[in-house]
Structures are given as C-alpha cells and as structure tokens.
Amino acid sequence: MTTRVLNRKMTPMEKFLLAIMAIYILVVASQSPKFFSLETAFDLARNGSGAMILALGCLIVLISGGLDVSFAAIAIVGGYSSVLLSRALGVDNLLFIITVAVIIGALLGSINALIIHFFQLSTLIATLGTASVFHGTMVILLGAKTFTRADVPQSMLDFGAFSIFTIKEENSQYGLTIFFPIVVAVGVLTWFLLYRTMIGRSVFAVGSDPESASRIGINILRTRLFVYMYVGALSGLMGIIYFSGLAYINPAALVGTELAVIAAVVIGGAKLTGGEGTILGTVLGVVLWQLFQNTLVHLGLSSSFNDLFFGAVLVFMLGFIYLRQRQANKRALVFTSN
C-alpha cells in the first residue's frame, strides 16, 4: 500500500504548483539569504497549521459537491465555548478542552448536513446562514469577551508553547511546534477515510453525481452527515490550536479566513463542482498561501501584495482547470453550454 502511495503520479495541477513555488522560493532566496533556514521552515509550519487542518476538512466538502463557509465560525464557537466550560468547571485539562471543542464542532456540522439534506438548500446559502446563526447564538448566550493571556487555561498556554525539539542560537531560539505532527495525523486520517473506506468512496460518488449515487444504494444523508460532521470536528480542533498559538482568545478572530482557505484548496486542484481533489494538491495550495503571507517581507513588499499574488495564482489555476475540462469534453464529444 505504501509503495502505491509513493508511486502515485502527480497531477498537472500539482506539478504547476510545485513549479510556481520553486520559482518563488528561488526569487525570495536570491533577495534574502536568511530565507533558507530551519527558522523559516518552522515559522511556516507553525503559522500554517490551523489553515492546513481547515483546508483538509474543506477538501472533503468540495469533493462531496458542497461548499461550506461556516467552518471558521464553528472553529470560534467550538474553541470559545470549550474554554468557557473549562473555566466554569475548573478543569484545566487540554484533552478535556479539545474533546469538548471537537464534539461541539461535530454537532454544529451535523446541523449543516441536516439543513442541506432536508431543505434541499444550496450548500453555500445554508452554511452562509448557519455561520451567522452559530456565531450570533454564541455571542448572545456566552458573550464575546476577549481573554488575555492571564485568563487562558495554563494547559493551552503550555500546548501552544511546546516544541518537539528546540534549536538554541546565540541570541535566539526556535523549534518545531507540536502542531506539526497533529497536522500530519489529520492528513493521514483524511487520506485513509477518503481512499480506504466505503464512506470515502461515497463522498466521491455523491460529489460526481448524487442521483446516480443514490440509485446504486449510497445513503446520501449518511454521507452528508459524515462530511459536515468531519469538517465541524476539525474546525473545533483548529479553534483550540489557533487560540493556543496566540495565547489569547478573541471571539471575533478568524472571521473572513474561510474564503482564503477555500481558495487554497481550489488552487490545489479541487473542483467546485465536486468529485475531484487530492490531499497533496491541498497541502501545496496551503503552503503556497502561507509562503505569500509570511515571506513577502524578504522581498521588501507589504502584506497587501499577498492578496495580489494569491488572487493571480487562483485565477490562473481556475482558468487552467476549466481549459482542461473543455478539452476533455471536446475529446469525449460532450458539448455543454459552458
């Protein structure tokens, strides 16, 4: 099995992304010799951990033919609620906080799935509405107080500061965050669920053609429950990682990041129409996004250029995807209005 995974051919999208990243890294390295360092790599790993977890959940939603824009709100609600419950019960335990956040995320995800299935709503419209409902309900019931470092549970502070190993230099020290192996574990779990389980195959089938999937006996409701509960659970986990990394808790954080995450997954080759997407492509899309976000300073550019570069890559990739689709349709004598 391992051999088959390693021997998998890269898709044209993945090759394009690697080429763009290689060119960009060479340009940055030519301007800043300090760019090629473990410190830069560790900073990228730390800053991109939360986005990578959200992107892996978003990938499954896109493959299923849906579009979820509520995962950022779910991450905030899950993370904020679990911290409040921890403080109310006097339980300063990381496992307890993460478990509560993941359960809340999965429950909110199940609400998305049930609304989409029984009301037959567009996934974008449904999750756009529930994102506001989830966050608004949290603010009304629990408030929107920002917790400073002194108010954050000590177990979360220790979690955010923990490194697998640390490198000490004369005037500084840096290390590989504990978030990195968690991201790897989530990536392996997502790959296993997608490619080695029946529910994963059902996700691809529903995303390709839900009517045909239903005719061959695939339970659409169960598949949607899995998809949205999984992305909800990952969002809850991401909420704890995000707040632990910041060492303070802001219930207004993460707002607006959902579109950038979706864009990173699409750049990695996931189709907005469903049925197609890869783990490697998603990883490359998020890495490219993080490169633009964290390394423009080496080129002497402000962070506002991040949107320009990232948007240009997104437009180019989307154009490439639909050009390939039109050529494939032409070869197969399939004619559509697009």
Side-chain angles (χ1 to χ4, degrees), residues 112-175:
N112 278 338
L114 292 174
I115 290 175
I116 291 168
H117 184 80
F118 287 109
F119 292 96
Q120 294 297 306
L121 290 175
S122 156
T123 54
L124 173 62
I125 300 301
T127 55
L128 193 62
T130 55
S132 299
V133 171
F134 294 156
H135 192 264
T137 303
M138 181 197 76
V139 172
I140 292 172
L141 297 180
L142 304 177
K145 178 184 176 183
T146 297
F147 292 104
T148 62
R149 184 182 181 86
D151 301 317
V152 177
Q154 186 60 44
S155 58
M156 288 181 64
L157 295 176
D158 295 340
F159 178 53
F162 187 80
S163 296
I164 300 174
F165 62 88
T166 303
I167 297 176
K168 295 183 178 179
E169 295 183 343
E170 186 175 353
N171 298 320
S172 64
Q173 67 176 30
Y174 51 88

Side-chain angles (χ1 to χ4, degrees), residues 203-224:
V203 173
F204 278 100
V206 170
S208 299
D209 190 338
E211 187 172 339
S212 298
S214 179
R215 287 178 180 174
I216 62 174
I218 291 177
N219 188 317
I220 304 296
L221 174 58
R222 185 173 62 185
T223 304
R224 284 177 174 157

Side-chain angles (χ1 to χ4, degrees), residues 65-249:
L67 190 58
D68 187 350
V69 293
S70 68
F71 52 78
I74 292 177
I76 296 170
V77 174
Y80 189 71
S81 303
S82 64
V83 171
L84 284 186
L85 185 61
S86 167
R87 287 167 53 86
L89 298 177
V91 180
D92 191 352
N93 181 283
L94 182 65
L95 182 60
F96 172 81
I97 295 172
I98 289 179
T99 301
V100 172
V102 168
I103 290 174
I104 291 174
L107 289 175
L108 296 181
S110 70
I111 293 174
N112 278 338
L114 292 174
I115 290 175
I116 291 168
H117 184 80
F118 287 109
F119 292 96
Q120 294 297 306
L121 290 175
S122 156
T123 54
L124 173 62
I125 300 301
T127 55
L128 193 62
T130 55
S132 299
V133 171
F134 294 156
H135 192 264
T137 303
M138 181 197 76
V139 172
I140 292 172
L141 297 180
L142 304 177
K145 178 184 176 183
T146 297
F147 292 104
T148 62
R149 184 182 181 86
D151 301 317
V152 177
Q154 186 60 44
S155 58
M156 288 181 64
L157 295 176
D158 295 340
F159 178 53
F162 187 80
S163 296
I164 300 174
F165 62 88
T166 303
I167 297 176
K168 295 183 178 179
E169 295 183 343
E170 186 175 353
N171 298 320
S172 64
Q173 67 176 30
Y174 51 88
L176 182 60
T177 175
I178 186 65
F179 302 157
F180 181 74
I182 295 175
V183 171
V184 173
V186 171
V188 172
L189 175 63
T190 305
W191 173 86
F192 180 79
L193 290 172
L194 275 178
Y195 298 104
R196 290 295 180 269
T197 65
M198 284 302 298
I199 192 67
R201 294 300 179 188
S202 299
V203 173
F204 278 100
V206 170
S208 299
D209 190 338
E211 187 172 339
S212 298
S214 179
R215 287 178 180 174
I216 62 174
I218 291 177
N219 188 317
I220 304 296
L221 174 58
R222 185 173 62 185
T223 304
R224 284 177 174 157
L225 278 171
F226 162 73
V227 168
Y228 290 94
M229 289 180 73
Y230 186 69
V231 70
L234 291 187
S235 300
L237 172 63
M238 185 274 181
I240 300 302
I241 287 178
Y242 182 76
F243 290 140
S244 298
L246 291 178
Y248 71 90
I249 296 172

